[in-house]
Amino acid sequence: MEWLSAENVVAVATAGLGIVASAVMIWYERRVPRRKRVGYRVQMDNPIGDGTQAGRVNVRLGLFDEAPGMHQATLVLLRIENDGSQGIGHEDYTSRELHGLTVEFTDRAIHGVSVTQPPGVDHLMSHFTPHAGFGYDVGGNTLRIPRVPLNRGEHFKLLVLLSGGDVGCDIRLVGGIRDGEVHPNRSATPDDKPPLFSRAARLITIILTASVVTLASIVIVRDDDPPPLGCEKGTLTVVGSTAFALVAEGLAKEYEKDCEGSDITVEARGSTAGVSELAAMEGESRARRASVVAFSDGRDKGAGSALRAEPVALSVFTLVADKGLGLDLQQGLTLTQVRRLYSGSVRYWDDLDPELPHWRVVLVSRDADSGTRQVFQDQVLAGKWEGVPSTSLGCDLQSDTAAPVRCELGSTADVLKKVAATKGAIGYSELGQAKQHQLTVNRVALDGAKADVDAIEYDDSPYPYRGVENAYTYADLPAGSLAGSFLTYVRNHGQAAIRQNGHIPCTATEGERLCDE
């Protein structure tokens, strides 16, 4: 029977251990301070190698005859819990890595691990995947734990098979929680001494150990993970924003890897172009219209009533300038100065500021299909269009007109390359891609505020050049569509990819507020 898989047998056997913790959790929650806390405690650290009765049983059974070093094996049961008064979300972990916490087993090597969640909690296990950072290096002593959201009082347990060290070797949970702490809890026993196991308890330990070894063997042999819930097959085209292209491409690859039979193509040609392509599908079948998703920087004013927009992320943008200009990196430009530049009233940089060089102003802009340009005009130019007409296809400085030079390019990457290669150039870009070119262009602050995702999310920075990234679909998607499944995947599994590329997920605690502004 399908439910009698090795993974389910281990899960059912170990889930019963969570029942013991329920009464402790009720008592413990009444005594925690009002802050975010992740607590951990070792509920079992038991030898199963030579020199112990459990070890002799194992030798008689022949469980570890063929496994090097397992004659000194130990089995550790580690409980990790939210023992504070507030829920802990994905974004509360302060680690710069993909995973949130790490467990360090001093002088011991990891051979297998099983994760359990308590009865009645059904969302924790979906986070324990390699894509979320979960795992360990073979022979290493560090276990990586993903950013698991934990409601108040929720916990999970790790049953870890180890070798190479004695019972009682130091075990530490390392990591940080924003506005909180990670700390060890007291032992499960009143006198802080490890309990003495009965014969029945030792037999259960042997069975659990054998289950963990069996599960580890299955994982190593199969080397696969169950697909996320709601995986759909078929083809999908993602069009639109070049500023959001890196996120879309990364998540498309991850979805294809997790969901066999799906084929997602990303064609970033600009926000307006993508939304217009979707709107033009009015006469197509419902299935055909559901095969396209368009990402747009900000709301597209020409989207029409047939399209549906879903906020996905708050995108942060920045002005970028030729490094040779020597713009003050802290103060940058004022909004008034930027508006003068793009109105066409400033021909040379020293006309704007005598401290700047006598260089021709070169405005490297995006074309009319760009959402980045639309957000720039709305948020920075106070709703006005760029006043300088396009004077050159490639920002050619040989033009000798009285006006500054201006050109329009088709993508964020093209703008960054042109600004880096052009004397006196200034342009605009999505922040994540601009950071990848920090050696060739300078990011320009606005009214003394720098483009900083953390400052916007946590410190209410007034930085103005930002906008909501929306995912557009044609009307409501039919049930079982690949487009709907992919957007669900973006919401549930895309936070790390969105953050890594310089955006704030709308599903994050602060992101929800910022996306609604």
Side-chain angles (χ1 to χ4, degrees):
M1 297 176 64
E2 186 175 343
W3 66 272
L4 284 175
S5 64
E7 295 94 330
N8 287 342
V9 170
V10 173
V12 171
T14 55
L17 297 174
I19 299 175
V20 178
S22 58
V24 176
M25 289 300 296
I26 295 174
W27 172 85
Y28 199 82
E29 282 185 353
R30 296 177 180 272
R31 292 162 173 78
V32 295
R34 298 201 58 79
R35 60 182 306 191
K36 296 178 181 179
R37 291 172 26 134
V38 170
Y40 69 96
R41 63 172 178 248
V42 178
Q43 289 192 309
M44 180 175 68
D45 191 353
N46 189 48
I48 52 176
D50 287 346
T52 67
Q53 184 174 355
R56 290 191 292 274
V57 170
N58 285 325
V59 170
R60 288 199 300 271
L61 294 177
L63 293 179
F64 300 106
D65 291 346
E66 311 253 343
M70 295 307 291
H71 62 286
Q72 294 180 333
T74 52
L75 192 64
V76 168
L77 181 62
L78 185 66
R79 175 191 172 107
I80 299 174
E81 57 194 352
N82 177 356
D83 61 352
S85 60
Q86 301 182 45
I88 295 173
H90 182 281
E91 68 280 6
D92 288 325
Y93 295 88
T94 60
S95 170
R96 293 182 177 273
E97 303 295 334
L98 178 62
H99 59 276
L101 304 170
T102 56
V103 183
E104 297 176 356
F105 298 91
T106 304
D107 297 329
R108 288 189 268 189
I110 302 172
H111 287 268
V113 60
S114 177
V115 185
T116 65
Q117 62 187 9
V121 178
D122 58 5
H123 70 279
L124 301 182
M125 298 300 292
S126 63
H127 298 279
F128 288 90
T129 67
H131 299 304
F134 177 60
Y136 59 90
D137 296 324
V138 177
N141 69 340
T142 300
L143 175 62
R144 298 180 292 274
I145 302 176
R147 298 168 179 262
V148 182
L150 291 171
N151 295 321
R152 179 183 176 186
E154 285 185 347
H155 73 275
F156 58 88
K157 295 187 180 185
L158 303 171
L159 187 63
V160 186
L161 182 63
L162 304 158
S163 69
D166 295 327
V167 168
C169 287
D170 189 32
I171 299 172
R172 293 195 309 142
L173 184 66
V174 180
I177 299 296
R178 192 181 302 278
D179 298 326
E181 64 175 352
V182 176
H183 69 105
N185 280 335
R186 290 178 57 83
S187 167
T189 56
D191 58 0
D192 290 331
K193 295 180 180 179
L196 296 176
F197 289 95
S198 65
R199 183 183 299 274
R202 290 196 296 271
L203 180 59
I204 293 174
T205 299
I206 294 171
I207 295 172
L208 289 176
T209 302
S211 299
V212 171
V213 173
T214 302
L215 177 60
S217 301
I218 293 173
V219 170
I220 293 172
V221 172
R222 294 193 326 179
D223 192 26
D224 65 353
D225 298 297
L229 293 177
C231 270
E232 299 294 341
K233 298 180 180 180
T235 60
L236 175 68
T237 301
V238 177
V239 297
S241 170
T242 64
F244 206 64
L246 293 179
V247 177
E249 289 169 356
L251 289 176
K253 291 179 181 178
E254 291 299 321
Y255 186 93
E256 289 175 338
K257 187 186 301 181
D258 289 342
C259 298
E260 185 178 351
S262 60
D263 182 8
I264 303 176
T265 302
V266 178
E267 299 177 359
R269 297 189 295 271
S271 298
T272 301
V275 174
S276 297
E277 178 180 333
L278 185 63
M281 301 179 72
E282 181 179 1
E284 303 284 350
S285 67
R286 191 183 186 198
R288 176 75 181 91
R289 295 196 301 256
S291 68
V292 176
V293 171
F295 283 107
S296 174
D297 307 334
R299 285 272 184 172
D300 192 296
K301 298 175 182 178
S305 59
L307 302 191
R308 301 288 184 268
E310 176 184 336
V312 175
L314 183 76
S315 294
V316 181
F317 305 90
T318 180
L319 287 173
V320 291
D322 166 25
K323 275 188 172 289
L325 273 174
L327 286 172
D328 187 296
L329 298 182
Q330 296 297 323
Q331 295 302 318
L333 296 171
T334 66
L335 288 175
T336 300
Q337 289 175 317
V338 174
R339 290 164 186 170
R340 287 185 61 199
L341 284 171
Y342 282 88
S343 71
S345 63
V346 180
R347 184 181 179 188
Y348 292 95
W349 281 101
D350 56 351
D351 293 336
L352 187 72
D353 185 341
E355 298 295 325
L356 296 175
H358 185 68
W359 290 356
R360 188 78 167 274
V361 172
V362 182
L363 304 174
V364 184
S365 299
R366 291 290 307 283
D367 57 28
D369 287 332
S370 168
T372 304
R373 173 178 169 175
Q374 184 63 57
V375 176
F376 176 67
Q377 291 170 169
D378 291 343
Q379 303 297 327
V380 180
L381 301 186
K384 296 181 180 179
W385 288 88
E386 298 179 39
V388 182
S390 180
T391 59
S392 169
L393 292 177
C395 282
D396 185 359
L397 286 172
Q398 294 180 4
S399 172
D400 196 28
T401 64
V405 176
R406 179 175 174 272
C407 62
E408 296 182 355
L409 303 179
S411 72
T412 300
D414 290 341
V415 169
L416 290 165
K417 291 177 183 177
K418 180 59 68 175
V419 170
T422 306
K423 181 179 178 180
I426 187 169
Y428 39 79
S429 164
E430 179 269 327
L431 177 59
Q433 295 185 54
K435 285 183 176 181
Q436 296 179 3
H437 291 75
Q438 61 185 353
L439 297 180
T440 57
V441 298
N442 277 340
R443 301 196 298 275
V444 181
L446 294 173
D447 278 346
K450 295 187 293 184
D452 186 313
V453 172
D454 288 339
I456 291 172
E457 185 172 9
Y458 301 112
D459 300 328
D460 289 328
S461 168
Y463 182 78
Y465 193 7
R466 61 196 193 189
V468 177
E469 192 72 32
N470 286 283
Y472 278 90
T473 57
Y474 200 103
D476 295 327
L477 294 170
S481 67
L482 177 54
S485 176
F486 177 66
L487 291 179
T488 300
Y489 188 87
V490 172
R491 287 191 297 270
N492 296 340
H493 302 280
Q495 284 203 10
I498 290 172
R499 287 189 181 280
Q500 286 168 3
N501 285 280
H503 309 268
I504 301 172
C506 289
T507 52
T509 302
E510 289 299 315
E512 184 176 358
R513 175 182 64 82
L514 293 167
C515 290
D516 286 339
E517 288 182 351

